[in-house]
Amino acid sequence: MKFHILFAITILFVITVSCTLEETDYEAEIATEVTDYYDFEEATSFTSNQYIITIEALNGSLHKGYNEIRLEITNTQTNEHINNSEVTFLPILTDASGNNSSCPHSYELVYNTDENYYSGYAVFTNKSGDIGSWELYISFTDNDQTYTVNQNISVLEQTNKNLNMASFIGNDDEMYFIALIAPQKPNVSENNLVAGVYKYIQPTNPAGDFPDPSQFLFSKVKNHKLLLDPRMPEPSMGNHSSPNNQDLIQLNDGLYHGVVNYTMTGNWTLNFIFLNENDQVIKGTEVPTDFTPGIEGVKSELYIDTLF
Amino acid sequence: MILYSDAMKYIITLLLFWGICANGQNTKAEKDSTKSVELEEVVITAAIKKKIETEMKMAVSVDEFLASSEDISFIKRGAYAWEPLLNNMSTERSTITIDGMHIFGACTDKMDPVTSYIETNNISEIDIKSGQEGSLHGATVAGSIDLKRKSTPFNLYKKWSGSYQTGFELNNKQFFNLGNVSYSSDKFVADASISFREAGNYSDGNNKEVNHSQYNKFNTSIGLAYKTSTLSSVRVEAIFDQANDVGFPALPMDLWLSRALITSASYKQLFEEGLFKVWDTKVYFNAIEHYMDDTTRPENLVHMDMPGWSTTYGLVSKATLKNERFFSEIQLNAYNNLSIAEMRMYPQDRSERTMFAYSWPSVTTTVAGISMNNTWELSERSQLNFGGSLTINYNHSKYVEFNWIFHPGTPQEKTRILPSLNTSYQLDINNFNFSIGTGYGHRAPSVSEGYGYYIYNSFDRYDYIGNPNLKNEISYEGHASAGFKNEKASVQAKVNYFYIKNYIIGRVLSMGSPMNYQSVGVKGYTSLDHSTLFNFSLNTSYTLFDDLHWKGSLTYARGKDENEKNLPFIRPLSYQTSLNYNYERFGFQTSVNGDIEQINYSPEYGEDQTPSYTIWNLSVDYTFYIKNKKTVLQLGAENVLNEYYSTYADWGNIPRMGRNIFTSLKFNL
């Protein structure tokens, strides 16, 4: 009797504990493709006279695309943070033949009194070495004296595809830049989609002494609209899309906010149609909405790819 | 699955403990076993199917056996794991339990109804109750199907018994071996069973092989009971079931592996005096894993995995009360189920990122309810049944963000109250019997209906999206029956009618686009204002001579939605007639069954018209004795005329099996 029971139990045991499929760890699953940017760390620092200038960015590195910048100035003699300075910030890209250009950026940095830093951003259009190298031109004041300093910086490839950017010439012959700012780490869910939209302002006066900021002017585009149609480009997904998305409109922070629904992880394309304040198309085309399994989805003239 | 293996360890320890403990006490028990208060169940008569065999066939699958009930029809996606429809309603609307234990399949496409995790040699009967009369086991609309496990009663003398059954079916080369053994004594009882089934592809009526219709199933069970006193006993039970390489010809994928572990421990106390007769309490745990994929379908555009897990633990406690005229059952049901289903699609370039989503975003269902069924014998001839239940149903979706995509801002939790009431009156006058009854009950949406996410339905080829805000489905039903019975003949007619408010069904959504490449659109589960369902059945039997019996049955059903349009999966007029003749040790059976043409089909829900069909079956058996043990040999053929057909509920109109010659042999040990 005992033998029979033990035998049956042994069989049961062996069969049951042998390998089965593991459930997916969802948190790990949505983190596989996404570099998380959590903390502001020092990206670069340099000295000018008795001052140390520290530039912080998320995870301590600058990338192609949108970068929030925090800048601190410390007087090494008094060991004090300078908090009443007028700080200007200008990134310059110099290509192999010596031509200079810039990228959307905040020229005058604003002091954040709560956190004690000067705040700004830069939307780097290329990584270092692609067509040239990046240099930061910074000026600041202390005790009515102006100091200027320039520093070579390293702009890395954007590893988080959810922070990709696009630059293009619109139908109005102006140059525009769209950079994704959020979500950094999307979810299979509704995601608040935030993008910065910028425009290059053609200089009206001849160039002065280099670097003449009037030659490198960019502005936030106002009251335009980005119509959104997210789709999965993978041929087998047949141009799959999601419901309940919202077009991007500008809010008080100057950035463009909308909603993108990702129905599953993987490659997505955010197809845009960029409209000016009079709802005229500056760039972008409507994409087919048909479900076409086996055929790669057609993209808009204006799109940004994401991946998570 | 940590939970799974932990629970397994616990159960095995428990089993081991009982095995040793019971064995030790066994010898002692014989000496003082003169007192004989039998542990016997007080059973009220209902539509209980006793012997697990059909008129035609003694070695049947659970599905084939259920199909022989006129209340049950089936949706079939292949040769395995048919979805039982009770009163022409799908499994969301019925409660399917094993000895009152709630078990939920782990497949989003309903490829693993509870009935697929048991085997005929470990159940003794199937108790089917229609409508709210089935609310004892929990909130329902269609009724309940309770599969009763085999359990040998305690016996004054030590006794071994068992049976072994083997057989072969020619059409799909199915080979099966079923064995069970039981031991009983005054203090200790053990039941064990083991079975293997292996089947290849079947061929249809045109002798064409239906690809991906093979299956392999292994099932084993053990039950140990120990009498703790003259009036009480404890019992531990476990069923393990595993299916490998099961094809579903009507689907774009197959089952690679499914496993179920179904365990319980129960305590039963009898009372000699007073109103209380029996109190039976059971705790249970079951874990189901179900892994679908399409590695066997290289023609598919997308390779996709669809694993699912369903884990349930619960408590069922039932008190039986009885005096001369009054019989009552009060049952407490409580369980917690966690259902998780995933889909992962692989891009054509396998180095690219896979695409992942939950089709059940880790949904917890916690249910607690109390139910009661009462029978009051008004007189010798008449009785009144009345009962009701009150259930609290709580749902929690862990990854509610999946649900937000189609239903922005929907709450993560939802609590529902599900009341139920029923009453019926039965009258027997001489050879005639009549009954009339009515019922009212709510049911909560199923996990798929509430929280499903892009569940591909290959029948209408839509991706289905659940809606957490669906209202409770509310059923108002009426039923009546009339019958006549004497020594030679019996006639029984039954009719029921359901008016179901907030009837849940999939409707095409104007938003979203398909995710599965075979799909044509997205449907969302929606509440219709109401639907109506009507079921009729007529059963007759007649004994022509002592050895010649005739039986016939007829069923008809009609289902309409709020706009008087047809509901899907409603069985057309169907008939079955059989003759049974015994001559000495031989038994001969023949039967004819079929459906007439499906007139009231529903193109809106993906149905097309199904033509009529008629099937003729034949079998002969021979009984002989080996050392006084009964042995039966059977030989027969189903679909003798090799008719090519598919029924109204065959997924994707896959053809049914053509002529099938079967043979089986059953030994009693």
Side-chain angles (χ1 to χ4, degrees):
Chain A
M1 190 63 222
K2 193 186 267 179
F3 173 76
H4 280 96
I5 294 167
L6 285 176
F7 182 67
I9 289 167
T10 313
I11 288 179
L12 210 72
F13 184 77
V14 168
I15 295 160
T16 313
V17 294
S18 56
C19 144
T20 53
L21 268 190
E22 284 292 312
E23 284 169 29
T24 299
D25 177 351
Y26 182 59
E27 297 304 322
E29 179 67 31
I30 55 171
T32 45
E33 290 293 333
V34 177
T35 326
D36 265 329
Y37 295 115
Y38 290 122
D39 297 316
F40 280 88
E41 288 168 25
E42 184 179 308
T44 179
S45 75
F46 38 93
T47 54
S48 168
N49 300 317
Q50 73 268 40
Y51 300 98
I52 291 184
I53 295 122
T54 309
I55 290 180
E56 288 190 343
L58 281 172
N59 283 16
S61 48
L62 299 165
H63 293 267
K64 183 184 171 184
Y66 183 90
N67 295 263
E68 192 183 333
I69 305 283
R70 294 177 177 184
L71 186 141
E72 287 172 23
I73 304 165
T74 315
N75 187 332
T76 52
Q77 286 172 354
T78 58
N79 220 1
E80 275 176 358
H81 280 288
I82 311 299
N83 57 14
N84 55 0
S85 174
E86 281 171 21
V87 183
T88 66
F89 174 87
L90 177 61
I92 297 288
L93 176 69
T94 310
D95 68 15
S97 45
N99 297 321
N100 295 313
S101 62
S102 182
C103 65
H105 62 277
S106 46
Y107 182 65
E108 284 165 358
L109 300 190
V110 185
Y111 192 70
N112 182 324
T113 47
D114 295 334
E115 305 272 343
N116 302 323
Y117 58 75
Y118 296 89
S119 164
Y121 66 85
V123 182
F124 295 112
T125 45
N126 300 93
K127 73 173 199 293
S128 295
D130 251 7
I131 54 171
S133 61
W134 287 97
E135 209 159 348
L136 285 185
Y137 288 81
I138 286 166
S139 77
F140 61 94
T141 56
D142 189 28
N143 298 326
D144 295 334
Q145 196 175 346
T146 304
Y147 302 86
T148 58
V149 62
N150 56 322
Q151 171 74 20
N152 211 305
I153 53 161
S154 168
V155 175
L156 306 176
E157 184 56 83
Q158 182 56 261
T159 51
N160 184 342
K161 294 205 169 167
N162 306 294
L163 299 178
N164 274 346
M165 62 162 296
S167 61
F168 57 94
I169 309 281
N171 296 336
D172 53 1
D173 288 332
E174 302 278 0
M175 188 168 197
Y176 291 93
F177 304 84
I178 298 176
L180 298 183
I181 298 171
Q184 288 181 14
K185 188 180 172 184
N187 211 331
V188 180
S189 176
E190 297 176 302
N191 293 276
N192 289 320
L193 185 64
V194 182
V197 184
Y198 311 93
K199 180 181 176 181
Y200 175 57
I201 297 174
Q202 300 284 349
T204 48
N205 52 324
D209 291 341
F210 181 81
D212 176 4
S214 70
Q215 304 299 306
F216 307 107
L217 278 181
F218 292 83
S219 73
K220 287 185 180 171
V221 172
K222 287 201 178 106
N223 296 325
H224 284 40
K225 200 186 267 180
L226 276 170
L227 307 185
L228 172 65
D229 188 353
R231 291 184 180 271
M232 295 189 89
E234 165 67 30
S236 60
M237 294 311 296
N239 202 32
H240 173 69
S241 183
S242 61
N244 292 329
N245 301 298
Q246 287 170 23
D247 299 331
L248 286 82
I249 51 167
Q250 193 174 31
L251 297 185
N252 290 337
D253 61 0
L255 300 174
Y256 283 74
H257 294 254
V259 171
V260 61
N261 280 281
Y262 291 127
T263 56
M264 66 197 312
T265 68
N267 281 296
W268 284 82
T269 298
L270 305 178
N271 294 296
F272 292 119
I273 297 174
F274 186 42
L275 302 179
N276 67 11
E277 56 271 64
N278 301 320
D279 286 346
Q280 284 162 330
V281 177
I282 298 178
K283 185 83 175 179
T285 43
E286 276 194 35
V287 293
T289 54
D290 310 340
F291 187 58
T292 48
I295 300 165
E296 188 168 342
V298 178
K299 296 180 183 187
S300 162
E301 225 172 54
L302 174 60
Y303 70 90
I304 299 181
D305 283 333
T306 63
L307 170 68
F308 79 107
Chain B
M1 282 189 79
I2 301 162
L3 184 66
Y4 190 39
S5 52
D6 272 3
M8 194 59 218
K9 268 182 231 159
Y10 165 74
I11 285 147
I12 284 163
T13 323
L14 205 76
L15 285 174
L16 273 170
F17 172 74
W18 277 114
I20 295 157
C21 174
N23 211 34
Q25 302 214 1
N26 198 18
T27 40
K28 201 183 82 188
E30 279 175 74
K31 294 169 193 163
D32 52 18
S33 62
T34 40
K35 218 176 183 185
S36 68
V37 180
E38 290 297 308
L39 273 176
E40 60 184 48
E41 189 74 64
V42 193
V43 181
I44 53 160
T45 47
I48 293 175
K49 302 223 77 182
K50 271 279 182 189
K51 243 177 170 179
I52 309 296
E53 58 183 52
T54 63
E55 293 283 303
M56 282 304 303
K57 225 169 158 183
M58 64 172 188
V60 291
S61 69
V62 175
D63 290 342
E64 286 174 313
F65 176 65
L66 269 171
S68 67
S69 163
E70 69 274 6
D71 297 324
I72 306 268
S73 47
F74 278 100
I75 291 179
K76 297 170 185 173
R77 285 125 176 144
Y80 188 76
W82 301 342
E83 181 191 354
L85 306 180
L86 177 55
N87 282 320
N88 285 288
M89 289 186 249
S90 59
T91 42
E92 292 94 1
R93 295 192 171 84
S94 55
T95 55
I96 306 180
T97 51
I98 298 179
D99 280 339
M101 298 188 285
H102 286 262
I103 298 164
F104 298 90
C107 178
T108 50
D109 283 341
K110 300 202 277 188
M111 240 55 70
D112 65 336
V114 178
T115 43
S116 70
Y117 290 116
I118 48 163
E119 187 49 90
T120 44
N121 66 343
N122 57 36
I123 52 171
S124 60
E125 57 192 46
I126 297 178
D127 182 1
I128 300 164
K129 285 187 175 165
S130 171
Q132 296 305 323
E133 284 178 359
S135 68
L136 193 67
H137 297 304
T140 180
V141 166
S144 70
I145 301 172
D146 190 38
L147 307 150
K148 300 233 183 260
R149 279 211 46 175
K150 236 179 211 161
S151 66
T152 309
F154 291 101
N155 201 335
L156 280 180
Y157 306 100
K158 277 188 179 179
K159 192 183 164 197
W160 283 90
S161 68
S163 69
Y164 168 71
Q165 205 166 356
T166 183
F168 189 76
E169 304 204 357
L170 216 57
N171 185 298
N172 60 348
K173 297 180 183 61
Q174 186 194 162
F175 179 56
F176 60 86
N177 284 285
L178 314 169
N180 58 284
V181 62
S182 55
Y183 169 81
S184 59
S185 71
D186 177 45
K187 284 273 180 186
F188 177 69
V189 167
D191 292 293
S193 74
I194 191 161
S195 74
F196 299 89
R197 279 181 197 270
E198 202 182 314
N201 289 337
Y202 68 81
S203 300
D204 64 24
N206 294 337
N207 299 322
K208 197 167 163 284
E209 189 171 322
V210 177
N211 283 329
H212 310 292
S213 61
Q214 81 289 350
Y215 61 88
N216 295 282
K217 178 182 166 89
F218 166 74
N219 183 289
T220 183
S221 74
I222 187 164
L224 306 170
Y226 176 69
K227 212 187 220 180
T228 43
S229 76
T230 50
L231 289 174
S232 64
S233 67
V234 288
R235 186 171 187 89
V236 287
E237 290 174 301
I239 300 175
F240 176 77
D241 186 277
Q242 176 166 334
N244 291 78
D245 187 25
V246 177
F248 290 102
L251 299 178
M253 6 173 65
D254 298 310
L255 174 71
W256 163 59
L257 169 74
S258 79
R259 286 180 213 243
L261 177 69
I262 300 162
T263 61
S264 66
S266 58
Y267 177 77
K268 190 181 207 171
Q269 175 79 53
L270 303 187
F271 302 92
E272 275 180 300
E273 284 164 21
L275 192 61
F276 270 92
K277 296 294 180 221
V278 187
W279 179 52
D280 196 348
T281 296
K282 169 162 30 195
V283 288
Y284 59 90
F285 168 82
N286 57 73
I288 289 174
E289 306 164 89
H290 194 270
Y291 307 124
M292 300 275 287
D293 68 21
D294 57 2
T295 44
T296 53
R297 311 283 183 106
E299 69 277 15
N300 280 8
L301 187 61
V302 189
H303 171 56
M304 183 173 175
D305 292 337
M306 279 182 64
W309 298 266
S310 165
T311 313
T312 310
Y313 54 89
L315 169 86
V316 50
S317 184
K318 183 164 105 173
T320 308
L321 287 69
K322 194 178 191 311
N323 68 13
E324 281 106 63
R325 290 261 161 131
F326 191 73
F327 175 83
S328 176
E329 288 174 303
I330 302 168
Q331 184 165 316
L332 176 75
N333 294 300
Y335 63 85
N336 176 287
N337 168 263
L338 176 63
S339 292
I340 303 172
E342 301 176 353
M343 50 184 161
R344 186 181 293 279
M345 298 186 191
Y346 295 82
Q348 278 157 342
D349 176 0
R350 288 296 172 85
S351 63
E352 293 267 307
R353 168 91 166 119
T354 59
M355 294 162 275
F356 173 86
Y358 283 109
S359 31
W360 282 338
S362 201
V363 182
T364 308
T365 307
T366 307
V367 170
I370 186 140
S371 348
M372 186 180 212
N373 264 352
N374 307 287
T375 301
W376 182 19
E377 283 184 21
L378 300 169
S379 69
E380 292 287 297
R381 294 165 153 190
S382 65
Q383 71 177 42
L384 184 69
N385 303 312
F386 57 97
S389 73
L390 189 65
T391 306
I392 296 174
N393 184 98
Y394 166 84
N395 282 114
H396 178 271
S397 167
K398 185 175 174 193
Y399 301 112
V400 68
E401 57 261 37
F402 282 78
N403 308 116
W404 286 341
I405 290 174
F406 281 87
H407 301 281
T410 201
Q412 189 168 24
E413 301 171 309
K414 182 104 184 166
T415 305
R416 299 165 188 272
I417 307 277
L418 312 170
S420 157
L421 283 172
N422 73 80
T423 181
S424 68
Y425 175 75
Q426 271 173 276
L427 179 67
D428 292 316
I429 304 171
N430 302 328
N431 292 330
F432 292 91
N433 66 73
F434 304 94
S435 84
I436 185 159
T438 179
Y440 160 83
H442 288 226
R443 79 156 177 111
S446 69
V447 171
S448 288
E449 288 167 340
Y451 299 92
Y453 183 74
Y454 284 103
I455 295 174
Y456 177 60
N457 177 331
S458 59
F459 189 79
D460 59 9
R461 302 183 61 211
Y462 276 86
D463 284 339
Y464 276 67
I465 308 288
N467 178 358
N469 301 317
L470 285 174
K471 291 183 203 149
N472 291 349
E473 216 174 74
I474 306 170
S475 161
Y476 302 87
E477 64 168 75
H479 55 89
S481 74
F484 168 83
K485 192 177 181 179
N486 66 11
E487 290 88 48
K488 286 214 139 187
S490 77
V491 185
Q492 185 81 32
K494 283 199 280 187
V495 58
N496 66 35
Y497 180 80
F498 294 86
Y499 177 92
I500 303 170
K501 191 133 183 69
N502 308 327
Y503 188 86
I504 299 169
I505 202 159
R507 277 274 161 104
V508 178
L509 285 180
S510 55
M511 60 179 173
S513 74
M515 185 180 277
N516 296 287
Y517 81 92
Q518 288 110 325
S519 158
V520 294
V522 182
K523 277 190 178 181
Y525 281 106
T526 331
S527 293
L528 301 184
D529 179 71
H530 69 268
S531 282
T532 58
L533 263 157
F534 168 80
N535 289 287
F536 167 78
S537 72
L538 179 69
N539 284 289
T540 54
S541 72
Y542 190 72
T543 305
L544 296 154
F545 307 104
D546 280 353
D547 290 327
L548 186 61
H549 305 274
W550 172 80
K551 267 194 179 182
S553 69
L554 206 62
T555 67
Y556 177 73
R558 190 88 173 86
K560 292 180 194 170
D561 71 6
E562 55 187 350
N563 301 319
E564 298 287 299
K565 286 192 171 162
N566 298 320
L567 289 178
F569 299 115
I570 305 296
R571 190 170 193 170
L573 185 69
S574 70
Y575 53 90
Q576 174 157 18
T577 174
S578 64
L579 266 179
N580 183 329
Y581 176 65
N582 290 318
Y583 176 74
E584 292 184 348
R585 286 182 167 187
F586 288 94
F588 302 90
Q589 298 85 25
T590 180
S591 76
V592 172
N593 68 288
D595 292 351
I596 69 152
E597 188 180 37
Q598 187 189 18
I599 305 157
N600 300 311
Y601 63 100
S602 164
E604 213 180 339
Y605 298 108
E607 283 191 313
D608 50 13
Q609 191 162 20
T610 309
S612 65
Y613 68 88
T614 304
I615 304 301
W616 177 37
N617 308 308
L618 210 55
S619 77
V620 54
D621 58 64
Y622 176 68
T623 307
F624 57 102
Y625 291 84
I626 303 172
K627 289 182 185 169
N628 286 330
K629 300 284 186 190
K630 190 181 171 189
T631 306
V632 188
L633 177 68
Q634 188 176 53
L635 181 69
E638 292 167 306
N639 194 1
V640 177
L641 301 176
N642 205 20
E643 168 125 339
Y644 179 90
Y645 73 108
S646 76
T647 73
Y648 74 103
D650 282 323
W651 217 244
N653 293 333
I654 46 155
R656 304 301 318 152
M657 199 184 274
R659 184 185 301 120
N660 178 32
I661 294 167
F662 62 88
T663 174
S664 70
L665 181 65
K666 182 174 183 173
F667 299 98
N668 286 301
L669 306 169

